[in-house]
Amino acid sequence: MLLHTFFLLSILLSTSHASVQDFCVGDLKGAEGPAGFPCKTPATVTSDDFVFAGLSEAGNITNIINAAVTPAFVSQFPALNGLGLSAARLDLGPGGVIPLHTHPGANELLLVSKGHITAGFISSSNNVYIKVLKKGELMVFPQGLLHFQIAAGKRNAIAHAIFSSANPGLQILDFALFASNFPTPLVSKTTFLDPVIVKKLKAVLGGSG
Amino acid sequence: MLLHTFFLLSILLSTSHASVQDFCVGDLKGAEGPAGFPCKTPATVTSDDFVFAGLSEAGNITNIINAAVTPAFVSQFPALNGLGLSAARLDLGPGGVIPLHTHPGANELLLVSKGHITAGFISSSNNVYIKVLKKGELMVFPQGLLHFQIAAGKRNAIAHAIFSSANPGLQILDFALFASNFPTPLVSKTTFLDPVIVKKLKAVLGGSG
Amino acid sequence: MLLHTFFLLSILLSTSHASVQDFCVGDLKGAEGPAGFPCKTPATVTSDDFVFAGLSEAGNITNIINAAVTPAFVSQFPALNGLGLSAARLDLGPGGVIPLHTHPGANELLLVSKGHITAGFISSSNNVYIKVLKKGELMVFPQGLLHFQIAAGKRNAIAHAIFSSANPGLQILDFALFASNFPTPLVSKTTFLDPVIVKKLKAVLGGSG
Amino acid sequence: MLLHTFFLLSILLSTSHASVQDFCVGDLKGAEGPAGFPCKTPATVTSDDFVFAGLSEAGNITNIINAAVTPAFVSQFPALNGLGLSAARLDLGPGGVIPLHTHPGANELLLVSKGHITAGFISSSNNVYIKVLKKGELMVFPQGLLHFQIAAGKRNAIAHAIFSSANPGLQILDFALFASNFPTPLVSKTTFLDPVIVKKLKAVLGGSG
Amino acid sequence: MLLHTFFLLSILLSTSHASVQDFCVGDLKGAEGPAGFPCKTPATVTSDDFVFAGLSEAGNITNIINAAVTPAFVSQFPALNGLGLSAARLDLGPGGVIPLHTHPGANELLLVSKGHITAGFISSSNNVYIKVLKKGELMVFPQGLLHFQIAAGKRNAIAHAIFSSANPGLQILDFALFASNFPTPLVSKTTFLDPVIVKKLKAVLGGSG
Amino acid sequence: MLLHTFFLLSILLSTSHASVQDFCVGDLKGAEGPAGFPCKTPATVTSDDFVFAGLSEAGNITNIINAAVTPAFVSQFPALNGLGLSAARLDLGPGGVIPLHTHPGANELLLVSKGHITAGFISSSNNVYIKVLKKGELMVFPQGLLHFQIAAGKRNAIAHAIFSSANPGLQILDFALFASNFPTPLVSKTTFLDPVIVKKLKAVLGGSG
């Protein structure tokens, strides 16, 4: 027994600090940097830190798009800090639509968990890649490209989006244009949309300017 | 109409090559390099390249672990090439076990799609993080650490594992030790397991040496 | 003299291969991969490979936007291969507009080389950051976010955009929506724009569907 | 109107934290780390943070090299934090010289903005790549290699250097050797320069030792 | 002398902040993040920060493996912070064994400094790569794969391991299984080892559960 | 036995491609790219690929520097391909000098294997960090900075340099200036060295121009 005590002591002493960065559960109160949040002290990390239940329940789809996006990004699930991974749950009612959007900071892999979904993206070359996806199928959306998901058929659908960053970002086209204070004359000039149309959509979506 | 023709010509000419690398669907017949496979010619890429149905069906769990892992890595789903993402489907029968294993090249995010799963990992500091996960819950397994998944309760379970690499690798501990030709004396010396036990497990799992 | 010959021989022999990857001028005929093109044989590389004159002349702005973008991406300037850098020249006539667009794969740093430019971008949080830039000023546009540039005042303007990738991509919003074959019903559903308006813009910009 | 309120609420709530890291304007008072500075609180960031006017004016070239380098690195322009980009302005009087130097942490892309510049670099294989560049031309200088810029002809010249890092570093050869306290015997031993010459240059450039 | 003063002033002013990140010696009291520790103030950094003597002495091999691992990771040698490099010293008595282990976060390059060492690793495909290494020979162990080192012959041996990360981690298989509180029934289920054997090894190595 | 056959079949089928990229031993005859060489077919890789004996013997120090550098970069040791690691052996006779040089693409960690070595580097801020290193000590040289090693005392010394890239590059200052065809007037203009001195050193080191 003496030997193994020596053994353990020598190894444990020499490696005691080495394993800290197996993981770096984010301390959201710390100052975020380009690589993410500071790490919680490893000694305070428990199994609970590594588990997230926030995607278990459906998002609220009582809205004009009949759909909801629930994120599990690093701000919701701090264990993702520094891991280059995150997720989101999409809930689509019948006819539900996730409008055109991009993730400025990540590639996306979509997994259909229920129902059928029509999904597509547009490339820099203005090619359009569209498919009707069934339960269990995966689709790739490369980083930063405009894409959408629509419930196909008249049933509900659920999907899980997975991202190659703990903080993929989410820019919804209509929100950027019509729910912001982006001045109408500039929206019109940079999109060729008539100012009247811009103003009308701003009224619906809550934008100003 | 003249104007827009000029417009399109000038823009399309100047950007014709710029968008190639929106994506790099892998040409599996090309020579793989450290960053992945060469890209298929963009002109031959269609919507079908971006969709993978191989995880739609359950893996065959008629085996001693009552479980199966079906990968959607770059070799199965070439659209993942260079994207830093891949996936796998886990099927677990009642009592099914995914034995201790590591992914040498990726962090993992597990999503329970059906049933309950007991999952856990061990850190470099020899701390053990174990949780019983319910449908819809996520759990993180940091890169390269030993982890496992077991069906909790007496029901089937399904999960989807997501990885932060298109080629995460998969080293199953028992296979590395007992289904390989790792010489029994060396297995014994480097694990403290009795050679008799090593030989017995080699007989079960198909190893030699 | 004998000594230095020995010296040179011993050093040159031992390091002859080591310096190959100082640079990797792209061989555009080779198969592109996730990290870029194969390298030209270093022995065939000359000073000319490292210089690009394609941004010296103004782009053709005889078009509806009264503006032009001329890229110096890896496809135009193969010496950028693997260096994480590229450039483009923007020419704006009086009132010229670079419409809303994103670079899916790079951050941008804009340098105004002549005249005044009104430029802006919209964040994921739908905040709008707009400034009138003078000659010599720099502005940052983070990766993947919608942004624009407009000639301010009634004079010509020139700017140089610099990107954090040899292949930043360029997705022009109006082209993605209205110069592609993205089906009008889907455009309408995912943007809330009236199909009549979509069809009208498609007619102008050359889209179909 | 009720509907869109629900809509906005559900989306805004769920994504409120997700977009933080669209950008990470550096807080220079925070503790720098390997990836850069901590981010300013996004709520305090304004358009002004993304614009830098420090390269608008010529650097002071009243010095022995008849030239000046004005940096727009992360320390001068904190919006570059984490973006993998920075810039510098070179001003060269007639005959002005930017002496041999390296950027230890970045590739460089040089854009000649005015006049003619003779520029060159030396590779690890001791090949020398030199060109006379005209206004509007670009030249690449791979990371860490010795390079220089000289005003060609008898006119002033201006150039902008762009770097693949927010903090490229700048090691000027003569300053490293002769403006430092690098002991003369060691300078001599490691460069084969006569100690008398070393001392003479130290006297001119302000070195000691 | 006036000129050079002007010269120095102009250059020193303009580049004074630019060089900070040549290095980022870790401040271990600061909050660690995904990219490492905050940097010590450069002004307080001296030559001593860049040198580490902790591998000069043999580790204590009075233990059951007759071997010791002494790390020079970022926690022991803070100058490695952010550099993507670290080291460790292996001391092996006659018959000494570094048991099967992985480095979850780094590739390894082993240099035999004294004696002969039998070393090997097992790939994801369950192939075993084993060699007897002599003094001065190098061997590669790819990231995250199980590997071991054993003193060959009856002499002492010393080796230095080099890692592609400042914090490579170290998961020793037997410690993970038998020196932790990983519950015996779960160890048994996920390794196929008999619970009696598991309990016996736990008794030797100090595990519980 | 039937069961384990099923087991192996199901697992082996599903993971057969997944493990390819555990390693990517370079095929030096293939076309190098920004990330390295194409991989050798894994089936042809043997234990021998992972071992390199080229640093076992002393380099030839019969030369004016009484020293030699023997590299184990990817071109000499193809198993390093894509791993972010390489090595070199330094042999120093009494008074031997490795002249000022940089590694444009890697950080360095020096391990003194025999004797005493005076080593140092100069930062971008022109600070000089010098230490006399004893056997077993480590010193860090950050990427791209000028540094040197000199045998301290009158004995031979050996060191091993480790790099954070498989292809760190090596630019020896005197070779870049005086063993190349860098035109003497340009060397003089960009270093402030008298042309007479430049020509003299070119004569010794084999340069021209």
Side-chain angles (χ1 to χ4, degrees):
Chain A
M1 285 309 275
L2 196 63
L3 282 179
H4 102 248
T5 305
F6 272 122
F7 175 41
L8 287 180
L9 269 179
S10 79
I11 299 271
L12 289 183
L13 278 176
S14 63
T15 66
S16 58
H17 285 112
S19 58
V20 168
Q21 198 98 317
D22 276 348
F23 46 76
C24 175
V25 176
D27 169 7
L28 300 192
K29 284 175 202 136
E32 196 176 7
F37 290 93
C39 317
K40 279 185 68 169
T41 310
T44 70
V45 171
T46 70
S47 298
D48 290 340
D49 284 291
F50 296 106
V51 177
F52 184 68
L55 304 192
S56 299
E57 302 297 323
N60 180 2
I61 63 171
T62 312
N63 54 42
I64 43 168
I65 57 169
N66 200 20
V69 178
T70 312
F73 296 175
V74 66
S75 298
Q76 291 83 33
F77 186 11
L80 296 173
N81 192 44
L83 297 193
L85 277 175
S86 63
R89 173 181 171 143
L90 312 187
D91 287 284
L92 298 158
V97 174
I98 308 293
L100 273 180
H101 63 283
T102 62
H103 304 288
N107 297 296
E108 175 177 344
L109 184 56
L110 188 80
L111 167 67
V112 178
S113 302
K114 184 182 170 184
H116 287 47
I117 289 178
T118 302
F121 72 88
I122 313 166
S123 76
S124 285
S125 307
N126 304 315
N127 291 319
V128 185
Y129 300 92
I130 301 180
K131 288 282 286 185
V132 180
L133 306 170
K134 286 174 283 192
K135 183 180 169 180
E137 292 187 335
L138 296 167
M139 183 165 177
V140 156
F141 304 93
Q143 176 166 338
L145 298 178
L146 284 164
H147 61 287
F148 67 91
Q149 290 98 3
I150 301 181
K154 305 199 170 162
R155 293 183 303 156
N156 285 354
I158 301 174
H160 287 83
I162 310 296
F163 304 101
S164 62
S165 161
N167 196 1
L170 169 58
Q171 181 163 60
I172 301 172
L173 175 57
D174 270 51
F175 276 43
L177 300 182
F178 308 124
S180 69
N181 65 354
F182 192 4
T184 297
L186 285 178
V187 178
S188 182
K189 243 188 182 161
T190 60
T191 62
F192 307 164
L193 292 173
D194 193 282
V196 175
I197 294 162
V198 173
K199 290 238 179 239
K200 213 164 100 184
L201 281 160
K202 286 202 165 193
V204 178
L205 289 166
S208 63
Chain B
M1 285 307 277
L2 197 62
L3 281 179
H4 103 248
T5 306
F6 271 122
F7 176 40
L8 287 180
L9 270 180
S10 78
I11 299 273
L12 290 182
L13 279 177
S14 62
T15 66
S16 58
H17 285 111
S19 57
V20 169
Q21 198 100 318
D22 275 348
F23 45 77
C24 175
V25 176
D27 170 7
L28 300 191
K29 286 177 199 133
E32 198 176 5
F37 290 94
C39 316
K40 279 184 69 169
T41 310
T44 69
V45 171
T46 70
S47 299
D48 291 339
D49 284 291
F50 295 106
V51 177
F52 183 69
L55 303 192
S56 299
E57 302 296 323
N60 179 2
I61 62 170
T62 313
N63 54 43
I64 43 169
I65 57 171
N66 200 18
V69 178
T70 311
F73 296 174
V74 66
S75 298
Q76 290 83 34
F77 187 11
L80 296 173
N81 192 44
L83 298 193
L85 277 175
S86 61
R89 173 181 172 143
L90 312 187
D91 287 285
L92 298 159
V97 175
I98 308 292
L100 274 180
H101 63 282
T102 63
H103 304 287
N107 296 297
E108 176 178 342
L109 185 55
L110 189 80
L111 167 67
V112 178
S113 303
K114 184 182 171 184
H116 287 46
I117 290 179
T118 302
F121 72 89
I122 313 162
S123 75
S124 284
S125 307
N126 304 316
N127 291 319
V128 186
Y129 300 91
I130 300 180
K131 288 282 286 186
V132 180
L133 306 171
K134 286 175 283 191
K135 183 180 169 181
E137 292 187 337
L138 295 167
M139 183 166 179
V140 155
F141 305 93
Q143 177 166 336
L145 298 178
L146 285 164
H147 61 287
F148 66 91
Q149 290 97 4
I150 302 181
K154 303 200 170 161
R155 293 183 304 155
N156 285 354
I158 301 174
H160 287 84
I162 310 295
F163 304 101
S164 63
S165 161
N167 196 2
L170 169 58
Q171 180 163 61
I172 301 172
L173 175 57
D174 270 50
F175 277 44
L177 300 182
F178 308 125
S180 68
N181 65 353
F182 192 4
T184 296
L186 286 178
V187 178
S188 183
K189 244 188 180 160
T190 61
T191 62
F192 307 164
L193 292 173
D194 193 282
V196 174
I197 293 163
V198 174
K199 289 231 180 247
K200 214 165 99 183
L201 281 160
K202 286 202 166 194
V204 177
L205 288 167
S208 62
Chain C
M1 287 307 277
L2 196 63
L3 281 179
H4 102 247
T5 306
F6 271 121
F7 176 42
L8 287 180
L9 268 179
S10 79
I11 299 272
L12 290 183
L13 278 176
S14 63
T15 65
S16 58
H17 285 112
S19 57
V20 169
Q21 198 100 316
D22 275 348
F23 46 76
C24 176
V25 176
D27 170 7
L28 300 192
K29 286 176 198 133
E32 199 176 5
F37 290 94
C39 316
K40 278 184 70 169
T41 310
T44 70
V45 171
T46 70
S47 299
D48 291 339
D49 284 290
F50 297 106
V51 177
F52 184 69
L55 303 192
S56 299
E57 303 296 323
N60 179 2
I61 62 170
T62 313
N63 55 42
I64 43 170
I65 57 171
N66 201 18
V69 178
T70 311
F73 296 174
V74 66
S75 298
Q76 289 83 34
F77 186 11
L80 296 172
N81 192 45
L83 297 193
L85 277 176
S86 62
R89 173 181 172 144
L90 311 188
D91 287 286
L92 296 159
V97 175
I98 308 292
L100 274 180
H101 63 282
T102 62
H103 303 288
N107 296 298
E108 176 177 342
L109 184 57
L110 189 80
L111 167 67
V112 178
S113 302
K114 184 182 170 185
H116 287 45
I117 290 178
T118 302
F121 72 88
I122 314 164
S123 75
S124 285
S125 307
N126 304 315
N127 291 319
V128 186
Y129 300 91
I130 300 180
K131 288 282 285 185
V132 180
L133 307 171
K134 284 175 284 190
K135 183 178 171 182
E137 292 187 335
L138 296 167
M139 183 167 179
V140 156
F141 305 93
Q143 177 166 336
L145 298 178
L146 284 164
H147 61 286
F148 66 90
Q149 290 98 4
I150 301 181
K154 303 198 171 163
R155 294 183 303 157
N156 285 355
I158 301 174
H160 287 84
I162 310 295
F163 304 100
S164 63
S165 160
N167 197 2
L170 170 57
Q171 180 163 61
I172 301 172
L173 175 58
D174 271 50
F175 277 42
L177 300 182
F178 308 125
S180 68
N181 65 354
F182 192 4
T184 297
L186 286 177
V187 178
S188 182
K189 245 187 180 158
T190 61
T191 61
F192 307 164
L193 291 173
D194 193 281
V196 174
I197 293 163
V198 173
K199 289 233 180 246
K200 212 164 102 185
L201 281 160
K202 286 202 166 195
V204 176
L205 288 168
S208 62
Chain D
M1 283 310 275
L2 196 62
L3 281 179
H4 103 249
T5 306
F6 272 121
F7 175 42
L8 287 180
L9 269 180
S10 78
I11 299 271
L12 290 183
L13 278 177
S14 63
T15 65
S16 59
H17 286 112
S19 57
V20 168
Q21 197 100 317
D22 275 349
F23 46 77
C24 175
V25 176
D27 169 8
L28 300 191
K29 285 175 201 134
E32 198 176 6
F37 290 93
C39 317
K40 279 185 67 170
T41 311
T44 69
V45 171
T46 70
S47 299
D48 291 339
D49 285 290
F50 297 106
V51 177
F52 183 69
L55 304 191
S56 298
E57 302 297 323
N60 179 2
I61 62 172
T62 312
N63 54 43
I64 44 169
I65 56 169
N66 200 20
V69 178
T70 312
F73 296 175
V74 66
S75 298
Q76 290 83 33
F77 187 11
L80 296 172
N81 192 43
L83 298 193
L85 278 175
S86 62
R89 173 180 172 144
L90 312 187
D91 288 284
L92 298 158
V97 174
I98 308 291
L100 274 179
H101 63 283
T102 62
H103 304 288
N107 297 297
E108 174 177 344
L109 184 56
L110 188 81
L111 167 67
V112 177
S113 302
K114 183 181 171 185
H116 288 45
I117 290 178
T118 301
F121 72 89
I122 313 165
S123 75
S124 284
S125 307
N126 304 316
N127 292 319
V128 186
Y129 300 91
I130 300 180
K131 288 282 286 186
V132 180
L133 306 171
K134 286 175 283 191
K135 183 179 170 182
E137 292 187 336
L138 296 167
M139 184 166 179
V140 156
F141 305 93
Q143 177 167 336
L145 298 178
L146 284 164
H147 62 286
F148 66 90
Q149 289 98 4
I150 302 181
K154 304 199 170 160
R155 294 183 302 156
N156 285 354
I158 302 174
H160 287 83
I162 311 295
F163 303 100
S164 61
S165 161
N167 197 2
L170 169 58
Q171 180 164 59
I172 301 173
L173 175 58
D174 270 50
F175 276 43
L177 300 181
F178 309 124
S180 68
N181 65 353
F182 192 5
T184 296
L186 286 178
V187 178
S188 183
K189 243 187 184 160
T190 61
T191 62
F192 307 163
L193 292 173
D194 194 283
V196 175
I197 294 163
V198 174
K199 290 236 178 241
K200 214 165 99 185
L201 282 160
K202 286 202 166 194
V204 177
L205 289 167
S208 62
Chain E
M1 283 311 274
L2 196 63
L3 280 179
H4 104 248
T5 306
F6 271 120
F7 176 41
L8 287 180
L9 269 179
S10 79
I11 299 272
L12 289 184
L13 279 177
S14 62
T15 66
S16 58
H17 285 112
S19 57
V20 169
Q21 197 98 318
D22 275 349
F23 46 76
C24 175
V25 176
D27 170 7
L28 299 192
K29 284 176 201 135
E32 197 176 6
F37 290 93
C39 316
K40 279 185 67 169
T41 309
T44 69
V45 171
T46 70
S47 299
D48 290 340
D49 284 289
F50 297 106
V51 176
F52 184 68
L55 304 192
S56 299
E57 302 297 322
N60 179 3
I61 63 171
T62 312
N63 54 43
I64 44 169
I65 56 170
N66 199 19
V69 178
T70 311
F73 296 175
V74 67
S75 298
Q76 289 84 33
F77 187 10
L80 296 173
N81 192 43
L83 297 194
L85 277 175
S86 62
R89 173 181 171 142
L90 311 187
D91 286 285
L92 297 158
V97 175
I98 308 292
L100 273 181
H101 63 284
T102 62
H103 304 288
N107 296 297
E108 175 178 343
L109 184 56
L110 188 81
L111 167 67
V112 178
S113 302
K114 183 181 171 187
H116 287 47
I117 290 178
T118 302
F121 72 88
I122 314 165
S123 75
S124 285
S125 307
N126 304 316
N127 291 319
V128 186
Y129 300 92
I130 300 179
K131 289 282 284 187
V132 180
L133 307 171
K134 285 174 283 191
K135 182 180 169 180
E137 291 187 337
L138 295 167
M139 183 165 178
V140 155
F141 304 93
Q143 177 166 337
L145 298 178
L146 285 164
H147 61 287
F148 66 91
Q149 289 98 4
I150 301 181
K154 304 200 170 160
R155 294 183 303 157
N156 286 354
I158 301 174
H160 287 83
I162 310 294
F163 304 100
S164 61
S165 162
N167 197 1
L170 169 57
Q171 181 164 59
I172 301 172
L173 176 57
D174 270 52
F175 277 43
L177 300 182
F178 308 124
S180 68
N181 65 354
F182 192 4
T184 297
L186 286 177
V187 178
S188 183
K189 242 187 182 160
T190 62
T191 62
F192 307 164
L193 292 173
D194 193 283
V196 174
I197 295 162
V198 174
K199 289 236 179 241
K200 214 164 99 184
L201 281 160
K202 286 202 165 194
V204 177
L205 289 167
S208 62
Chain F
M1 285 308 277
L2 195 63
L3 280 180
H4 104 248
T5 306
F6 271 121
F7 176 41
L8 288 180
L9 270 179
S10 79
I11 298 273
L12 290 182
L13 279 176
S14 63
T15 66
S16 58
H17 286 112
S19 56
V20 169
Q21 197 101 317
D22 276 348
F23 46 76
C24 175
V25 176
D27 170 7
L28 299 192
K29 287 176 198 135
E32 198 176 5
F37 290 94
C39 316
K40 278 185 69 170
T41 310
T44 69
V45 171
T46 70
S47 299
D48 290 339
D49 284 290
F50 296 105
V51 177
F52 183 69
L55 304 191
S56 299
E57 303 296 324
N60 180 1
I61 61 169
T62 314
N63 54 44
I64 42 169
I65 57 171
N66 200 18
V69 178
T70 311
F73 296 175
V74 66
S75 298
Q76 289 83 35
F77 187 10
L80 296 173
N81 193 44
L83 297 193
L85 277 176
S86 61
R89 172 181 173 145
L90 311 188
D91 287 286
L92 297 159
V97 175
I98 308 292
L100 273 180
H101 63 283
T102 63
H103 304 287
N107 296 298
E108 176 177 343
L109 184 56
L110 189 80
L111 167 68
V112 177
S113 303
K114 184 181 171 185
H116 287 44
I117 289 178
T118 302
F121 72 89
I122 313 163
S123 76
S124 284
S125 308
N126 305 315
N127 291 319
V128 186
Y129 300 92
I130 300 180
K131 288 282 284 185
V132 180
L133 307 170
K134 285 175 284 192
K135 184 180 169 180
E137 292 187 336
L138 295 168
M139 182 166 179
V140 155
F141 305 93
Q143 177 166 337
L145 297 178
L146 284 164
H147 61 287
F148 66 91
Q149 291 98 5
I150 301 182
K154 304 200 169 162
R155 293 183 304 156
N156 285 354
I158 302 174
H160 287 83
I162 310 295
F163 304 100
S164 62
S165 161
N167 197 2
L170 168 58
Q171 180 162 60
I172 300 172
L173 175 58
D174 270 51
F175 276 44
L177 300 182
F178 309 124
S180 68
N181 64 354
F182 192 5
T184 296
L186 286 178
V187 178
S188 182
K189 245 189 180 158
T190 60
T191 62
F192 307 163
L193 292 173
D194 192 284
V196 174
I197 293 162
V198 174
K199 289 234 180 244
K200 212 164 100 184
L201 281 160
K202 285 202 166 196
V204 177
L205 288 167
S208 62

